[in-house]
Amino acid sequence: MASQMKDKEAYQRLNYLYQAAHCVLSQNPENKELARFYCFTQRTIARRLVLRQDPSVKRTLCKKCCSLLIPGVTATTRQRSNKTRFTVLRCLSCGQSKTLLNNPDYCLWVDRPEAQLQQQKQPDQGPSLKNQPKDRKPDGSQQFPSSHR
């Protein structure tokens, strides 16, 4: 049986608000305030319930004004390189900049295999010799002191 995800309804609500903000901006790019309200509500719910959001979602939200950062609509995107390559997103509403590493070999911690919990139990190796009583014979019978015979 698969384990139930904790706070599944809360994550569904956060997902709905994020999709609603995208939908509002795709239908009418001038309706930035409603999209910002949805993103602010999403951030408030996530903070109140102490929920972790996916890094891909956090990268598309402005930390200062809670705007949804869509290149060409609510944000500008620039590629910079100074020994390392990175992308600079600038919010058009508040002017806040967000710098993201642009390394093709980089892998988020969430995507690494060691970050995933092991769902399978390790097979039991049987009782170890440390857990067995000391007066037990190798054939499994107990050895009693001579006074108990």
Side-chain angles (χ1 to χ4, degrees):
M1 183 164 74
S3 63
Q4 293 293 325
M5 186 172 71
K6 185 180 176 187
D7 298 323
K8 185 175 180 180
E9 291 93 14
Y11 278 111
Q12 287 176 344
R13 190 177 343 159
L14 294 177
N15 185 21
Y16 180 81
L17 289 168
Y18 185 73
Q19 288 182 12
H22 266 285
C23 186
V24 163
L25 284 177
S26 67
Q27 289 178 357
N28 185 6
E30 300 298 321
N31 209 352
K32 296 175 187 175
E33 292 299 319
L34 183 58
R36 184 180 297 151
F37 172 74
Y38 289 150
C39 292
F40 178 77
T41 306
Q42 174 191 3
R43 187 171 98 179
T44 305
I45 291 169
R47 281 188 177 174
R48 182 172 39 96
L49 297 176
V50 192
L51 298 175
R52 291 178 180 248
Q53 294 188 17
D54 194 64
S56 62
V57 173
K58 291 195 300 187
R59 288 178 177 195
T60 59
L61 297 175
C62 179
K63 287 185 176 181
K64 190 173 179 181
C65 69
C66 296
S67 289
L68 189 62
L69 299 176
I70 298 175
V73 180
T74 59
T76 59
T77 305
R78 299 285 183 257
Q79 300 294 323
R80 305 276 185 216
S81 68
N82 184 14
K83 294 184 183 178
T84 58
R85 298 180 300 179
F86 52 91
T87 303
V88 178
L89 279 169
R90 180 177 288 280
C91 179
L92 293 176
S93 299
C94 65
Q96 179 75 18
S97 293
K98 184 179 281 203
T99 304
L100 305 172
L101 186 64
N102 197 11
N103 185 359
D105 298 329
Y106 182 74
C107 183
L108 291 171
W109 170 254
V110 177
D111 297 333
R112 292 183 187 173
E114 60 263 20
Q116 305 299 321
L117 292 175
Q118 296 294 330
Q119 297 295 329
Q120 300 174 354
K121 288 186 176 181
Q122 297 295 328
D124 190 19
Q125 300 295 329
S128 66
L129 295 177
K130 292 179 182 177
N131 295 338
Q132 289 182 352
K134 293 185 180 180
D135 36 336
R136 191 173 286 270
K137 291 182 180 178
D139 64 352
S141 63
Q142 279 193 325
Q143 179 182 11
F144 294 105
S146 59
S147 62
H148 287 130
R149 287 188 183 178

